[in-house]
Amino acid sequence: MPKWIITAAMLDATPPTLRTIENFEGNESEALTKFRDIVSSYARDVTKVTRREVYKYSELQYFVRILGRMKQVEYIMQLAELVVDTDDSSLPNSLE
């Protein structure tokens, strides 16, 4: 079963911060569904969300702007599939 990761890069932080939101296993359809659910609900740095804007770069990457009562934050959220793992014999050891 493929392994996936969802990350959020907080653009307003200095320096910018990349967070792992979730690691999980599933097929591509399950991964895309989970990713869309997280993009639609993630608001770790904002209390009382008043507005959410989501811009689509691709099925695997979104720009998310969240406005709260006291502040606004922006994220680049991404979904990625594990394709190289030196500890997993079912995956290659490099991208070559």
Side-chain angles (χ1 to χ4, degrees):
M1 179 91 32
K3 294 180 182 178
W4 302 87
I5 188 170
I6 297 172
T7 60
M10 186 175 179
L11 303 177
D12 302 0
T14 305
T17 303
L18 180 66
R19 293 184 182 139
T20 298
I21 306 304
E22 185 132 3
N23 287 291
F24 59 96
E25 292 185 15
N27 64 40
E28 184 176 358
S29 176
E30 293 167 333
L32 288 169
T33 298
K34 183 175 278 216
F35 182 48
R36 286 189 295 267
D37 290 345
I38 288 174
V39 166
S40 297
S41 63
Y42 185 73
R44 176 178 166 181
D45 301 291
V46 177
T47 55
K48 190 154 183 174
V49 174
T50 60
R51 183 177 180 186
R52 177 185 307 271
E53 297 175 334
V54 177
Y55 296 85
K56 180 179 175 180
Y57 293 113
S58 72
E59 288 294 320
L60 306 177
Q61 185 179 53
Y62 290 87
F63 173 85
V64 181
R65 181 179 293 137
I66 302 171
L67 290 83
R69 196 171 54 113
M70 301 297 284
K71 69 177 181 176
Q72 171 183 308
V73 295
E74 296 175 337
Y75 304 100
I76 298 291
M77 299 188 77
Q78 299 178 340
L79 171 67
E81 181 181 1
L82 179 65
V83 295
V84 172
D85 186 345
T86 57
D87 280 347
D88 186 338
S89 63
S90 70
L91 291 172
N93 290 329
S94 70
L95 288 175
E96 296 175 21

Coordinates of all heavy atoms in Angstrom, one line a residue:
M1 N 0.9 -1.2 0.0 CA 0.0 0.0 0.0 C 0.9 1.2 0.0 O 1.8 1.3 0.8 CB -0.9 -0.1 1.2 CG -1.8 1.1 1.4 SD -3.5 1.0 0.7 CE -4.0 -0.6 0.8
P2 N 0.7 2.2 -0.9 CA 1.5 3.4 -1.0 C 1.4 4.2 0.4 O 0.4 4.2 1.1 CB 0.9 4.2 -2.1 CG 0.1 3.2 -2.9 CD -0.3 2.2 -2.0
K3 N 2.6 4.9 0.7 CA 2.7 5.7 1.8 C 2.6 7.2 1.4 O 3.2 7.5 0.3 CB 3.9 5.5 2.6 CG 4.0 4.1 3.2 CD 5.3 3.8 3.9 CE 5.3 2.4 4.5 NZ 6.6 2.2 5.2
W4 N 2.0 8.0 2.1 CA 1.7 9.4 1.8 C 2.1 10.3 3.0 O 2.1 9.9 4.1 CB 0.3 9.6 1.4 CG -0.2 8.8 0.3 CD1 -0.7 7.5 0.4 CD2 -0.2 9.1 -1.1 NE1 -1.0 7.0 -0.9 CE2 -0.7 8.0 -1.8 CE3 0.2 10.2 -1.8 CZ2 -0.8 8.0 -3.2 CZ3 0.0 10.2 -3.2 CH2 -0.5 9.1 -3.8
I5 N 2.4 11.6 2.6 CA 2.6 12.6 3.6 C 1.9 13.9 3.2 O 1.8 14.2 2.0 CB 4.1 12.9 3.8 CG1 4.4 13.8 5.0 CG2 4.8 13.4 2.5 CD1 5.9 13.9 5.4
I6 N 1.3 14.6 4.1 CA 0.7 15.9 3.9 C 1.5 16.9 4.7 O 1.8 16.7 5.9 CB -0.8 16.0 4.3 CG1 -1.6 15.0 3.5 CG2 -1.3 17.4 4.2 CD1 -3.0 14.8 3.9
T7 N 2.0 18.0 4.0 CA 2.8 19.0 4.7 C 2.1 20.4 4.5 O 1.3 20.6 3.5 CB 4.2 19.1 4.1 OG1 4.2 19.4 2.7 CG2 5.0 17.8 4.3
A8 N 2.4 21.3 5.4 CA 2.0 22.7 5.3 C 3.2 23.6 5.5 O 3.8 23.4 6.6 CB 0.9 23.0 6.3
A9 N 3.5 24.4 4.6 CA 4.6 25.4 4.7 C 3.9 26.7 5.1 O 3.2 27.3 4.3 CB 5.4 25.5 3.5
M10 N 4.2 27.2 6.3 CA 3.6 28.4 6.8 C 4.5 29.6 6.3 O 5.6 29.7 6.6 CB 3.6 28.4 8.3 CG 2.9 29.6 8.9 SD 2.7 29.5 10.7 CE 1.9 31.0 11.0
L11 N 3.9 30.4 5.4 CA 4.7 31.4 4.7 C 4.9 32.6 5.5 O 5.9 33.4 5.3 CB 4.0 31.8 3.4 CG 3.7 30.6 2.4 CD1 2.9 31.1 1.2 CD2 5.0 29.9 2.0
D12 N 4.1 32.9 6.5 CA 4.2 34.1 7.3 C 5.2 34.0 8.4 O 5.6 35.1 9.0 CB 2.9 34.5 7.9 CG 1.7 34.6 6.9 OD1 2.0 34.5 5.7 OD2 0.6 34.9 7.3
A13 N 5.7 32.9 8.7 CA 6.7 32.7 9.7 C 8.1 33.1 9.3 O 8.4 33.0 8.1 CB 6.7 31.2 10.2
T14 N 8.9 33.5 10.2 CA 10.3 33.8 9.9 C 11.2 33.0 10.7 O 11.2 33.1 12.0 CB 10.6 35.3 10.1 OG1 9.7 36.1 9.4 CG2 12.0 35.7 9.7
P15 N 12.0 32.0 10.2 CA 11.9 31.6 8.8 C 10.7 30.8 8.5 O 10.0 30.3 9.4 CB 13.2 30.8 8.7 CG 13.4 30.2 10.0 CD 12.9 31.3 11.0
P16 N 10.4 30.7 7.2 CA 9.2 29.8 6.9 C 9.3 28.5 7.5 O 10.3 27.9 7.6 CB 9.3 29.7 5.3 CG 10.0 31.0 4.9 CD 11.0 31.2 6.0
T17 N 8.1 27.9 7.9 CA 8.1 26.7 8.7 C 7.4 25.6 7.9 O 6.3 25.8 7.4 CB 7.3 26.9 10.0 OG1 7.9 28.0 10.7 CG2 7.3 25.7 10.8
L18 N 8.0 24.4 7.7 CA 7.3 23.3 7.1 C 6.9 22.3 8.1 O 7.7 21.9 8.9 CB 8.3 22.6 6.1 CG 7.7 21.4 5.3 CD1 6.6 21.9 4.4 CD2 8.8 20.7 4.6
R19 N 5.6 22.0 8.2 CA 5.1 21.1 9.2 C 4.6 19.8 8.5 O 4.0 19.9 7.4 CB 3.9 21.7 9.9 CG 4.3 22.8 10.8 CD 3.0 23.2 11.5 NE 3.3 24.3 12.4 CZ 2.6 25.4 12.5 NH1 1.4 25.5 11.9 NH2 2.9 26.4 13.3
T20 N 4.8 18.7 9.1 CA 4.2 17.4 8.6 C 2.8 17.4 9.3 O 2.7 17.4 10.6 CB 5.0 16.2 9.0 OG1 6.3 16.3 8.3 CG2 4.3 14.9 8.6
I21 N 1.8 17.4 8.6 CA 0.4 17.3 9.1 C 0.0 15.9 9.3 O -0.7 15.6 10.3 CB -0.6 18.0 8.2 CG1 -0.1 19.5 7.8 CG2 -2.0 18.1 8.7 CD1 0.1 20.4 9.0
E22 N 0.3 15.0 8.4 CA -0.2 13.6 8.5 C 0.7 12.7 7.7 O 1.1 13.1 6.6 CB -1.6 13.6 8.1 CG -2.2 12.2 8.2 CD -3.6 12.3 8.9 OE1 -4.1 13.3 9.2 OE2 -4.1 11.2 9.2
N23 N 1.0 11.5 8.2 CA 1.6 10.4 7.5 C 0.6 9.3 7.5 O 0.0 9.0 8.5 CB 2.8 9.9 8.2 CG 4.0 10.8 8.1 OD1 4.6 11.0 7.0 ND2 4.4 11.5 9.2
F24 N 0.4 8.6 6.3 CA -0.6 7.6 6.3 C -0.4 6.7 5.1 O 0.4 7.0 4.2 CB -2.1 8.1 6.2 CG -2.3 9.0 5.1 CD1 -2.9 8.5 3.9 CD2 -2.0 10.4 5.1 CE1 -3.2 9.4 2.9 CE2 -2.2 11.2 4.1 CZ -2.8 10.7 2.9
E25 N -1.1 5.5 5.0 CA -1.0 4.6 3.9 C -2.4 4.6 3.3 O -3.4 4.7 4.0 CB -0.7 3.2 4.4 CG 0.8 3.1 4.9 CD 1.2 1.6 5.2 OE1 0.4 0.7 4.8 OE2 2.2 1.5 5.8
G26 N -2.4 4.4 2.0 CA -3.7 4.3 1.3 C -3.5 4.4 -0.2 O -2.4 4.7 -0.7
N27 N -4.6 4.1 -1.0 CA -4.4 4.3 -2.4 C -4.5 5.8 -2.8 O -4.8 6.6 -2.0 CB -5.5 3.4 -3.2 CG -6.9 3.9 -2.9 OD1 -7.2 5.0 -2.8 ND2 -7.8 2.9 -2.7
E28 N -4.3 6.1 -4.1 CA -4.3 7.5 -4.5 C -5.6 8.2 -4.3 O -5.6 9.4 -3.8 CB -3.9 7.6 -6.0 CG -3.7 9.0 -6.5 CD -3.3 9.1 -7.9 OE1 -3.0 8.0 -8.5 OE2 -3.1 10.2 -8.4
S29 N -6.7 7.5 -4.5 CA -8.0 8.1 -4.3 C -8.2 8.5 -2.8 O -8.7 9.6 -2.5 CB -9.1 7.2 -4.8 OG -10.4 7.7 -4.5
E30 N -7.9 7.6 -1.9 CA -8.0 7.8 -0.5 C -7.1 9.0 -0.1 O -7.5 9.8 0.7 CB -7.6 6.6 0.3 CG -8.6 5.4 0.1 CD -8.0 4.1 0.7 OE1 -6.8 3.9 0.7 OE2 -8.9 3.2 1.0
A31 N -5.9 9.0 -0.6 CA -4.9 10.1 -0.3 C -5.5 11.5 -0.7 O -5.4 12.4 0.0 CB -3.6 9.8 -0.9
L32 N -6.0 11.5 -1.9 CA -6.6 12.8 -2.4 C -7.7 13.2 -1.6 O -7.9 14.4 -1.3 CB -6.9 12.7 -3.9 CG -5.7 12.6 -4.9 CD1 -6.2 12.2 -6.3 CD2 -5.0 13.9 -4.9
T33 N -8.6 12.3 -1.2 CA -9.7 12.6 -0.4 C -9.3 13.2 1.0 O -9.8 14.2 1.4 CB -10.7 11.4 -0.2 OG1 -11.2 11.0 -1.5 CG2 -11.8 11.7 0.7
K34 N -8.4 12.5 1.6 CA -7.9 12.9 2.9 C -7.2 14.3 2.8 O -7.4 15.2 3.6 CB -6.9 11.9 3.5 CG -6.4 12.3 4.9 CD -5.5 11.2 5.4 CE -6.4 10.2 6.0 NZ -5.9 9.5 7.2
F35 N -6.4 14.5 1.7 CA -5.8 15.8 1.5 C -6.8 16.9 1.3 O -6.7 18.0 2.0 CB -4.9 15.7 0.2 CG -4.1 16.9 -0.1 CD1 -3.4 17.6 0.9 CD2 -4.1 17.4 -1.4 CE1 -2.6 18.7 0.6 CE2 -3.3 18.5 -1.7 CZ -2.6 19.2 -0.7
R36 N -7.8 16.7 0.5 CA -8.8 17.8 0.4 C -9.6 18.1 1.7 O -9.8 19.2 2.0 CB -9.8 17.4 -0.7 CG -9.3 17.5 -2.1 CD -10.3 17.3 -3.2 NE -10.9 16.0 -3.2 CZ -10.4 15.0 -4.0 NH1 -9.4 15.2 -4.8 NH2 -11.0 13.8 -3.9
D37 N -9.8 17.1 2.5 CA -10.5 17.3 3.8 C -9.6 18.1 4.7 O -10.1 19.0 5.4 CB -10.8 15.9 4.5 CG -11.9 15.1 3.8 OD1 -12.6 15.7 2.9 OD2 -12.0 13.9 4.1
I38 N -8.3 17.8 4.7 CA -7.4 18.6 5.6 C -7.2 20.0 5.1 O -7.2 21.0 5.9 CB -6.0 17.9 5.7 CG1 -6.2 16.6 6.6 CG2 -4.9 18.8 6.3 CD1 -5.0 15.7 6.7
V39 N -7.1 20.2 3.7 CA -7.0 21.6 3.2 C -8.2 22.4 3.6 O -8.1 23.6 3.9 CB -6.8 21.5 1.7 CG1 -7.0 22.9 1.0 CG2 -5.4 21.0 1.3
S40 N -9.4 21.7 3.6 CA -10.6 22.4 3.9 C -10.8 22.7 5.4 O -11.7 23.5 5.7 CB -11.8 21.6 3.4 OG -11.7 21.5 2.0
S41 N -10.0 22.1 6.2 CA -10.3 22.2 7.7 C -9.1 22.7 8.5 O -9.3 23.1 9.7 CB -10.8 20.9 8.3 OG -9.8 19.9 8.1
Y42 N -7.9 22.6 8.0 CA -6.7 22.9 8.8 C -6.7 24.4 9.2 O -6.8 25.3 8.3 CB -5.4 22.6 7.9 CG -4.1 22.7 8.7 CD1 -3.8 21.8 9.7 CD2 -3.3 23.8 8.5 CE1 -2.6 21.9 10.4 CE2 -2.1 23.9 9.2 CZ -1.8 23.0 10.1 OH -0.6 23.1 10.9
A43 N -6.4 24.6 10.5 CA -6.4 26.0 11.0 C -5.6 26.0 12.3 O -6.0 26.7 13.2 CB -7.8 26.6 11.1
R44 N -4.5 25.3 12.4 CA -3.7 25.2 13.6 C -3.3 26.5 14.2 O -3.3 26.7 15.4 CB -2.5 24.3 13.3 CG -1.6 24.2 14.6 CD -0.5 23.3 14.3 NE 0.6 23.5 15.3 CZ 1.7 22.9 15.3 NH1 2.0 22.0 14.4 NH2 2.5 23.1 16.3
D45 N -3.0 27.5 13.4 CA -2.5 28.8 13.9 C -3.5 29.9 14.0 O -3.1 31.0 14.3 CB -1.3 29.2 13.0 CG -0.2 28.2 12.9 OD1 0.5 28.0 13.9 OD2 -0.1 27.5 11.9
V46 N -4.7 29.6 13.8 CA -5.8 30.6 13.8 C -6.9 30.2 14.7 O -7.4 29.0 14.6 CB -6.4 30.9 12.4 CG1 -7.5 31.9 12.5 CG2 -5.3 31.3 11.5
T47 N -7.3 31.0 15.6 CA -8.5 30.8 16.4 C -9.7 31.5 15.8 O -9.5 32.6 15.3 CB -8.3 31.2 17.9 OG1 -8.0 32.6 17.9 CG2 -7.3 30.4 18.6
K48 N -10.8 30.9 15.8 CA -12.0 31.5 15.2 C -11.8 32.0 13.8 O -11.7 33.2 13.5 CB -12.5 32.7 16.1 CG -13.9 33.1 15.6 CD -14.7 33.8 16.7 CE -16.0 34.1 16.1 NZ -17.0 34.6 16.9
V49 N -11.8 31.0 12.9 CA -11.6 31.3 11.5 C -12.9 32.0 11.0 O -14.0 31.6 11.2 CB -11.5 29.9 10.7 CG1 -11.5 30.2 9.2 CG2 -10.2 29.2 11.1
T50 N -12.6 33.1 10.3 CA -13.7 33.9 9.7 C -13.8 33.8 8.2 O -14.8 34.0 7.6 CB -13.5 35.4 10.0 OG1 -12.3 35.9 9.5 CG2 -13.5 35.7 11.5
R51 N -12.7 33.4 7.6 CA -12.7 33.2 6.1 C -11.5 32.3 5.7 O -10.4 32.3 6.3 CB -12.5 34.5 5.4 CG -12.5 34.5 3.9 CD -12.4 35.9 3.4 NE -12.4 35.8 1.9 CZ -12.2 36.9 1.2 NH1 -12.0 38.1 1.7 NH2 -12.3 36.8 -0.1
R52 N -11.7 31.4 4.7 CA -10.7 30.6 4.2 C -10.7 30.7 2.6 O -11.8 30.6 2.0 CB -11.0 29.1 4.5 CG -10.0 28.1 3.9 CD -10.5 26.7 4.3 NE -10.7 26.5 5.7 CZ -9.8 26.1 6.6 NH1 -8.5 25.9 6.2 NH2 -10.1 26.0 7.8
E53 N -9.5 31.0 2.1 CA -9.4 31.1 0.6 C -8.4 29.9 0.2 O -7.4 29.8 0.8 CB -8.8 32.4 0.2 CG -9.6 33.6 0.5 CD -9.0 34.9 0.2 OE1 -7.7 35.0 0.2 OE2 -9.7 35.9 -0.1
V54 N -8.8 29.2 -0.8 CA -8.0 28.1 -1.2 C -7.8 28.2 -2.7 O -8.7 28.4 -3.5 CB -8.7 26.7 -1.0 CG1 -7.9 25.6 -1.5 CG2 -9.0 26.5 0.5
Y55 N -6.5 28.3 -3.1 CA -6.1 28.4 -4.5 C -5.4 27.1 -4.9 O -4.6 26.6 -4.2 CB -5.1 29.5 -4.7 CG -5.7 30.9 -4.4 CD1 -5.7 31.4 -3.1 CD2 -6.2 31.7 -5.4 CE1 -6.2 32.6 -2.8 CE2 -6.7 32.9 -5.1 CZ -6.8 33.4 -3.8 OH -7.3 34.6 -3.5
K56 N -5.8 26.6 -6.1 CA -5.3 25.3 -6.5 C -4.2 25.5 -7.5 O -4.4 26.1 -8.6 CB -6.5 24.5 -7.2 CG -6.1 23.1 -7.7 CD -7.3 22.5 -8.3 CE -7.0 21.2 -9.0 NZ -8.2 20.6 -9.5
Y57 N -3.0 24.9 -7.2 CA -1.9 24.8 -8.1 C -2.1 23.5 -8.9 O -1.9 23.5 -10.1 CB -0.6 24.8 -7.4 CG -0.2 26.1 -6.8 CD1 -0.1 26.1 -5.4 CD2 0.1 27.2 -7.5 CE1 0.3 27.3 -4.7 CE2 0.5 28.4 -6.8 CZ 0.6 28.4 -5.5 OH 0.9 29.6 -4.8
S58 N -2.4 22.4 -8.2 CA -2.6 21.1 -8.8 C -3.4 20.3 -7.8 O -3.7 20.8 -6.7 CB -1.3 20.4 -9.1 OG -0.6 20.0 -7.9
E59 N -3.7 19.0 -8.2 CA -4.4 18.2 -7.2 C -3.5 17.9 -6.0 O -4.1 17.5 -4.9 CB -4.7 16.8 -7.9 CG -5.8 16.9 -8.9 CD -7.2 17.3 -8.3 OE1 -7.5 16.8 -7.2 OE2 -7.9 18.0 -8.9
L60 N -2.2 18.1 -6.1 CA -1.3 17.8 -5.0 C -0.8 19.0 -4.2 O 0.0 18.9 -3.3 CB -0.1 17.0 -5.6 CG -0.4 15.8 -6.4 CD1 0.9 15.1 -6.9 CD2 -1.2 14.8 -5.5
Q61 N -1.2 20.2 -4.7 CA -0.7 21.4 -4.0 C -1.7 22.6 -4.1 O -2.3 22.9 -5.1 CB 0.6 21.9 -4.7 CG 1.3 23.0 -4.1 CD 2.6 23.4 -4.8 OE1 2.6 23.6 -6.0 NE2 3.7 23.5 -4.1
Y62 N -1.9 23.2 -2.9 CA -2.8 24.3 -2.7 C -2.2 25.4 -1.9 O -1.3 25.2 -1.1 CB -4.1 23.9 -2.0 CG -5.0 22.9 -2.7 CD1 -4.8 21.6 -2.7 CD2 -6.0 23.4 -3.5 CE1 -5.6 20.7 -3.3 CE2 -6.9 22.5 -4.2 CZ -6.7 21.2 -4.1 OH -7.5 20.3 -4.8
F63 N -2.6 26.6 -2.3 CA -2.2 27.8 -1.4 C -3.5 28.1 -0.6 O -4.6 28.2 -1.2 CB -1.9 29.0 -2.3 CG -1.7 30.3 -1.6 CD1 -0.5 30.6 -1.0 CD2 -2.8 31.2 -1.4 CE1 -0.3 31.8 -0.3 CE2 -2.6 32.3 -0.7 CZ -1.4 32.6 -0.1
V64 N -3.3 28.2 0.7 CA -4.4 28.4 1.6 C -4.2 29.6 2.4 O -3.2 29.7 3.1 CB -4.6 27.1 2.5 CG1 -5.8 27.3 3.5 CG2 -4.8 25.9 1.7
R65 N -5.2 30.5 2.4 CA -5.1 31.7 3.2 C -6.3 31.6 4.2 O -7.4 31.5 3.8 CB -5.3 33.0 2.4 CG -5.2 34.3 3.1 CD -5.4 35.5 2.2 NE -4.2 35.6 1.4 CZ -4.2 35.9 0.1 NH1 -5.4 36.1 -0.5 NH2 -3.1 35.9 -0.6
I66 N -5.9 31.7 5.5 CA -6.9 31.6 6.6 C -7.0 32.9 7.3 O -5.9 33.4 7.8 CB -6.6 30.5 7.5 CG1 -6.6 29.2 6.7 CG2 -7.7 30.4 8.6 CD1 -6.1 28.0 7.5
L67 N -8.1 33.5 7.4 CA -8.3 34.8 8.2 C -9.0 34.4 9.5 O -10.1 33.7 9.4 CB -9.1 35.8 7.4 CG -8.3 36.4 6.2 CD1 -8.4 35.5 5.0 CD2 -8.8 37.8 5.9
G68 N -8.5 34.9 10.6 CA -9.1 34.7 11.9 C -9.5 36.0 12.4 O -9.4 37.1 11.8
R69 N -10.0 36.0 13.7 CA -10.4 37.2 14.3 C -9.3 38.1 14.6 O -9.4 39.3 14.4 CB -11.1 36.8 15.7 CG -11.9 37.8 16.3 CD -12.7 37.3 17.5 NE -11.7 36.6 18.4 CZ -11.5 37.1 19.6 NH1 -12.1 38.1 20.1 NH2 -10.7 36.4 20.4
M70 N -8.1 37.6 14.8 CA -7.0 38.5 15.2 C -5.8 38.4 14.2 O -5.0 39.3 14.2 CB -6.4 38.0 16.6 CG -7.4 38.1 17.7 SD -8.0 39.8 18.0 CE -6.6 40.5 18.8
K71 N -5.8 37.4 13.3 CA -4.6 37.4 12.4 C -5.0 36.6 11.1 O -6.0 35.9 11.0 CB -3.4 36.8 13.0 CG -3.5 35.3 13.4 CD -2.1 34.9 14.0 CE -2.1 33.5 14.3 NZ -0.8 33.0 14.8
Q72 N -4.1 36.7 10.2 CA -4.2 36.0 8.9 C -2.9 35.1 8.7 O -1.8 35.6 9.0 CB -4.3 37.0 7.7 CG -4.2 36.3 6.4 CD -4.2 37.4 5.3 OE1 -5.1 38.2 5.3 NE2 -3.3 37.4 4.4
V73 N -3.1 33.9 8.2 CA -1.9 33.0 7.9 C -2.1 32.5 6.5 O -3.2 32.3 6.0 CB -1.7 31.9 9.0 CG1 -1.4 32.4 10.3 CG2 -3.0 31.0 9.0
E74 N -0.9 32.1 5.9 CA -0.9 31.6 4.6 C 0.0 30.3 4.6 O 1.0 30.3 5.2 CB -0.4 32.6 3.6 CG -1.3 33.8 3.5 CD -0.7 34.9 2.6 OE1 0.5 34.9 2.4 OE2 -1.5 35.7 2.1
Y75 N -0.5 29.3 3.9 CA 0.2 28.0 3.8 C 0.3 27.6 2.3 O -0.6 27.8 1.5 CB -0.5 26.9 4.5 CG -0.9 27.1 5.9 CD1 -2.1 27.5 6.3 CD2 0.1 26.9 6.9 CE1 -2.4 27.7 7.7 CE2 -0.2 27.1 8.3 CZ -1.5 27.5 8.6 OH -1.8 27.6 9.9
I76 N 1.3 26.9 2.0 CA 1.4 26.0 0.8 C 1.2 24.6 1.4 O 2.0 24.1 2.2 CB 2.7 26.1 0.1 CG1 3.0 27.5 -0.4 CG2 2.8 25.1 -1.1 CD1 2.0 28.0 -1.6
M77 N 0.1 23.9 1.0 CA -0.1 22.6 1.5 C 0.1 21.6 0.3 O -0.3 21.9 -0.8 CB -1.6 22.5 2.0 CG -1.7 23.5 3.2 SD -3.3 23.3 4.1 CE -3.0 21.8 5.0
Q78 N 0.8 20.5 0.6 CA 1.2 19.6 -0.4 C 0.9 18.1 0.1 O 1.0 17.8 1.2 CB 2.6 19.7 -0.7 CG 3.0 21.1 -1.2 CD 4.5 21.2 -1.5 OE1 5.3 20.5 -1.0 NE2 4.8 22.2 -2.3
L79 N 0.6 17.3 -0.9 CA 0.4 15.9 -0.7 C 1.5 15.2 -1.6 O 1.7 15.5 -2.7 CB -0.9 15.4 -1.3 CG -1.2 13.9 -1.3 CD1 -1.2 13.3 0.1 CD2 -2.4 13.6 -2.1
A80 N 2.3 14.3 -1.0 CA 3.3 13.6 -1.7 C 3.3 12.1 -1.3 O 3.0 11.7 -0.2 CB 4.7 14.2 -1.3
E81 N 3.7 11.3 -2.3 CA 3.8 9.8 -2.2 C 5.2 9.5 -2.0 O 6.1 10.0 -2.6 CB 3.3 9.1 -3.4 CG 3.3 7.6 -3.4 CD 2.8 7.0 -4.6 OE1 2.5 7.6 -5.6 OE2 2.8 5.7 -4.6
L82 N 5.5 8.6 -1.0 CA 6.8 8.0 -0.8 C 7.3 7.2 -2.0 O 6.6 6.3 -2.4 CB 6.8 7.2 0.5 CG 8.2 6.5 0.8 CD1 9.2 7.6 1.2 CD2 8.0 5.6 2.0
V83 N 8.4 7.6 -2.6 CA 8.9 6.8 -3.8 C 10.3 6.2 -3.6 O 10.7 5.4 -4.4 CB 8.8 7.7 -5.1 CG1 7.4 8.1 -5.4 CG2 9.7 9.0 -4.9
V84 N 11.0 6.7 -2.6 CA 12.3 6.1 -2.3 C 12.4 5.9 -0.8 O 12.1 6.7 0.0 CB 13.4 7.1 -2.7 CG1 14.8 6.6 -2.3 CG2 13.5 7.3 -4.2
D85 N 12.9 4.6 -0.4 CA 13.1 4.3 1.0 C 14.2 3.2 1.0 O 13.9 2.1 0.6 CB 11.8 3.8 1.6 CG 11.9 3.6 3.1 OD1 13.0 3.6 3.6 OD2 10.9 3.5 3.8
T86 N 15.3 3.6 1.6 CA 16.4 2.6 1.7 C 16.1 1.5 2.7 O 16.8 0.5 2.7 CB 17.7 3.3 2.0 OG1 17.5 4.0 3.3 CG2 18.1 4.3 1.0
D87 N 15.1 1.6 3.5 CA 14.7 0.5 4.5 C 13.6 -0.3 4.0 O 13.1 -1.2 4.7 CB 14.4 1.1 5.8 CG 15.6 1.5 6.7 OD1 16.7 1.0 6.3 OD2 15.4 2.2 7.7
D88 N 13.0 0.0 2.8 CA 11.9 -0.8 2.3 C 12.3 -1.4 1.0 O 12.5 -0.8 0.0 CB 10.7 0.2 2.0 CG 9.4 -0.5 1.6 OD1 9.5 -1.6 1.1 OD2 8.4 0.2 1.8
S89 N 12.3 -2.8 1.0 CA 12.8 -3.5 -0.2 C 11.8 -3.4 -1.3 O 12.2 -3.7 -2.5 CB 13.0 -5.0 0.2 OG 11.8 -5.6 0.7
S90 N 10.6 -3.0 -1.1 CA 9.6 -2.8 -2.2 C 9.8 -1.5 -3.0 O 9.2 -1.3 -4.0 CB 8.2 -3.0 -1.7 OG 7.9 -1.9 -0.9
L91 N 10.6 -0.6 -2.4 CA 10.9 0.7 -3.1 C 12.3 0.8 -3.5 O 13.2 0.2 -2.9 CB 10.5 1.8 -2.1 CG 9.1 2.0 -1.8 CD1 8.9 3.0 -0.7 CD2 8.3 2.4 -3.0
P92 N 12.6 1.6 -4.5 CA 14.0 1.8 -4.9 C 14.8 2.6 -3.9 O 14.2 3.2 -3.0 CB 13.9 2.6 -6.2 CG 12.5 3.2 -6.2 CD 11.7 2.3 -5.4
N93 N 16.1 2.5 -4.0 CA 17.0 3.2 -3.1 C 17.4 4.6 -3.5 O 18.0 5.3 -2.8 CB 18.3 2.4 -2.9 CG 18.1 1.1 -2.1 OD1 17.3 1.0 -1.3 ND2 18.9 0.1 -2.5
S94 N 17.0 4.9 -4.8 CA 17.2 6.3 -5.3 C 16.3 6.6 -6.4 O 15.5 5.7 -6.8 CB 18.7 6.4 -5.8 OG 18.8 5.7 -7.0
L95 N 16.3 7.8 -6.9 CA 15.4 8.2 -8.0 C 15.9 7.8 -9.3 O 15.3 8.0 -10.3 CB 15.2 9.7 -7.9 CG 14.3 10.2 -6.8 CD1 14.3 11.8 -6.8 CD2 12.9 9.7 -6.9
E96 N 17.1 7.3 -9.4 CA 17.7 6.9 -10.7 C 17.0 5.8 -11.4 O 16.4 5.0 -10.9 CB 19.2 6.5 -10.5 CG 20.0 7.7 -10.0 CD 21.4 7.3 -9.7 OE1 21.9 6.3 -10.2 OE2 22.0 8.0 -8.9

